[in-house]
Amino acid sequence: MGQLIKMQDYVSRYEQNIYLYPSRYVRLKKHQWEKLKAAWENNDASVFMNQSQEENPDWLEEEKKPLIDKLKGLWKLGKKDNEEEDLLNLDQMDPDNEDSGEEAILQFETKFTYRPDSVEELKHQFLDQLFRFQMKWASSTLTEKSFVDKRFYYDEKLKFFLQRFPDTFLVLYLPLFLLKKAPVEVETIILSPTGVWCISLLEEEDSSVFIGSKERFWVKRVNGEEKKVLNPLLALNRTAKIVHQIFRMNEIDLPIHKVILCRNGYIDHPAAPFDVQMIEKRNYEEWFKGMRNLRSPLKHVQFKAAQALLQYCQTTSIRRLEWEISEEE
């Protein structure tokens, strides 16, 4: 499962220490999955307890949580009753203390309302809960938080980039770069251990055919009808150009790949640019398997590249109420 290091202009824990959180996430996921799988195999009733109703999504719990509960979360660090306190504990760890790191990893706990019928179903539910946990890391820190648009919790494209790729892939999902004091929204950027992938998703109705050209608009054909769509190469080239400039200023040597991804349709471009991969229904599976088979470990140049990109990302957040009150006192 890829790591969401930046989403739009939300504050991210990875911005604080890109060298610490990726490896911590990998250990957390591995430990919790092994623990959960063992509980499933042993039919551990304490893990798969029946409850009257399913847990609410994290964003809904945040809205319903009383103010006093939020304040208690700051001072009662000894309790591990909710995920917010767990995240506070993670931030207070000593990065150089491996023992404290391992202890904090144990704080992420999954919640189930029933025992899944198969390992595959168990894995899907585990990834869904880990996804919500990632959303917290990608929108809050110990002292700050951003207000996440609820649509991202159900964004199939975001889940695709996170749940279908290896843990060593660092994802910037539709980030906003602040260049010359002006925000610029770009396409999704994925940092793998061996390169950078700038990806423009071109997906509408199933089996749509997109006729590419050098013009500002392409033509989409589906069910005998034609419609103009904005040329995805415009945003894709802008994204790759920004990444290239940042890498050049920071002396980062990583290959930059440009991809137009159309999983459910077809692309017909007679004069496609040589430096752009057109991934569509006919060659998607081959490309996808190749990406998933990239099993290289996290690399220093990858962290350096991520740090350079994050430095130019715009962040919009507010101070947590708990910290405002503590400072006044």
Side-chain angles (χ1 to χ4, degrees):
M1 187 170 182
Q3 303 191 46
L4 183 60
I5 67 172
K6 187 68 176 180
M7 179 172 61
Q8 292 274 280
D9 61 343
Y10 303 142
V11 65
S12 168
R13 289 170 186 264
Y14 290 89
E15 292 175 291
Q16 294 185 322
N17 193 335
I18 189 61
Y19 292 92
L20 173 65
Y21 281 99
S23 57
R24 179 178 293 174
Y25 164 83
V26 173
R27 295 198 306 269
L28 179 148
K29 179 191 171 187
K30 180 180 179 182
H31 174 85
Q32 288 301 326
W33 170 245
E34 291 175 349
K35 178 181 176 182
L36 181 63
K37 187 178 179 183
W40 182 84
E41 292 173 344
N42 296 324
N43 199 16
D44 189 343
S46 65
V47 176
F48 305 100
M49 296 179 63
N50 292 324
Q51 299 180 14
S52 58
Q53 60 182 7
E54 188 174 352
E55 295 289 334
N56 291 323
D58 286 351
W59 58 265
L60 191 56
E61 290 179 356
E62 284 286 329
E63 291 183 349
K64 291 185 176 181
K65 190 181 296 181
L67 174 61
I68 189 64
D69 289 347
K70 293 183 178 180
L71 296 178
K72 288 179 180 178
L74 179 66
W75 309 114
K76 297 184 179 181
L77 294 178
K79 295 184 178 181
K80 308 295 188 298
D81 295 333
N82 58 61
E83 192 172 82
E84 185 60 33
E85 291 174 354
D86 298 339
L87 294 177
L88 294 179
N89 289 338
L90 285 174
D91 271 306
Q92 292 186 336
M93 285 176 11
D94 179 0
D96 298 324
N97 189 331
E98 191 68 24
D99 293 335
S100 66
E102 293 299 329
E103 181 180 353
I105 285 174
L106 303 178
Q107 305 310 316
F108 169 65
E109 297 292 342
T110 53
K111 299 177 182 178
F112 287 84
T113 57
Y114 69 97
R115 182 179 182 275
D117 295 329
S118 65
V119 174
E120 195 64 26
E121 183 182 355
L122 179 72
K123 183 183 297 184
H124 284 310
Q125 292 200 27
F126 172 74
L127 292 179
D128 284 340
Q129 295 194 33
L130 192 57
F131 169 75
R132 293 195 293 271
F133 185 75
Q134 279 192 300
M135 292 290 283
K136 280 186 174 290
W137 275 24
S139 61
S140 66
T141 66
L142 175 63
T143 59
E144 297 177 89
K145 67 179 296 184
S146 297
F147 295 101
V148 180
D149 190 326
K150 297 177 181 61
R151 65 185 173 89
F152 286 115
Y153 286 94
Y154 307 100
D155 190 327
E156 185 276 331
K157 296 175 182 177
L158 173 58
K159 287 188 175 183
F160 166 74
F161 286 125
L162 297 182
Q163 296 183 343
R164 304 300 303 278
F165 290 98
D167 299 341
T168 54
F169 280 38
L170 309 180
V171 179
L172 292 86
Y173 189 68
L174 304 177
L176 272 72
F177 284 101
L178 193 60
L179 305 173
K180 297 181 180 179
K181 298 183 179 180
V184 179
E185 183 172 346
V186 300
E187 299 291 356
T188 296
I189 301 170
I190 297 180
L191 295 162
S192 78
T194 59
V196 180
W197 300 82
C198 301
I199 301 178
S200 178
L201 270 169
L202 182 65
E203 295 182 349
E204 296 193 19
E205 297 90 345
D206 286 343
S207 298
S208 296
V209 178
F210 297 91
I211 311 300
S213 68
K214 295 181 180 180
E215 304 300 324
R216 180 172 176 78
F217 292 95
W218 286 10
V219 176
K220 181 189 71 173
R221 293 176 180 171
V222 60
N223 298 327
E225 298 181 356
E226 291 190 356
K227 180 182 177 181
K228 288 185 177 181
V229 296
L230 188 64
N231 185 343
L233 287 171
L234 301 176
L236 184 63
N237 288 332
R238 179 172 64 247
T239 302
K241 183 178 180 180
I242 291 173
V243 173
H244 176 73
Q245 290 176 341
I246 293 175
F247 281 7
R248 185 180 60 185
M249 289 187 294
N250 290 272
E251 298 181 347
I252 296 171
D253 185 19
L254 267 179
I256 300 173
H257 308 279
K258 294 188 289 185
V259 174
I260 294 181
L261 180 59
C262 181
R263 295 172 295 173
N264 65 342
Y266 304 91
I267 300 175
D268 182 9
H269 197 315
F274 71 93
D275 61 341
V276 177
Q277 296 184 49
M278 303 287 180
I279 307 299
E280 36 105 279
K281 209 169 183 179
R282 289 169 291 194
N283 60 353
Y284 165 70
E285 287 298 331
E286 180 182 358
W287 174 82
F288 180 62
K289 289 179 181 178
M291 293 287 283
R292 283 176 59 88
N293 288 334
L294 290 174
R295 297 298 181 181
S296 299
L298 291 162
K299 295 184 177 180
H300 181 270
V301 67
Q302 188 181 6
F303 294 145
K304 185 179 179 182
Q307 185 177 51
L309 293 176
L310 290 173
Q311 286 178 346
Y312 286 89
C313 285
Q314 175 173 298
T315 295
T316 303
S317 62
I318 63 169
R319 294 275 289 178
R320 287 182 178 272
L321 179 61
E322 300 94 318
W323 287 92
E324 295 288 351
I325 293 177
S326 64
E327 287 180 355
E328 290 177 2
E329 294 178 350

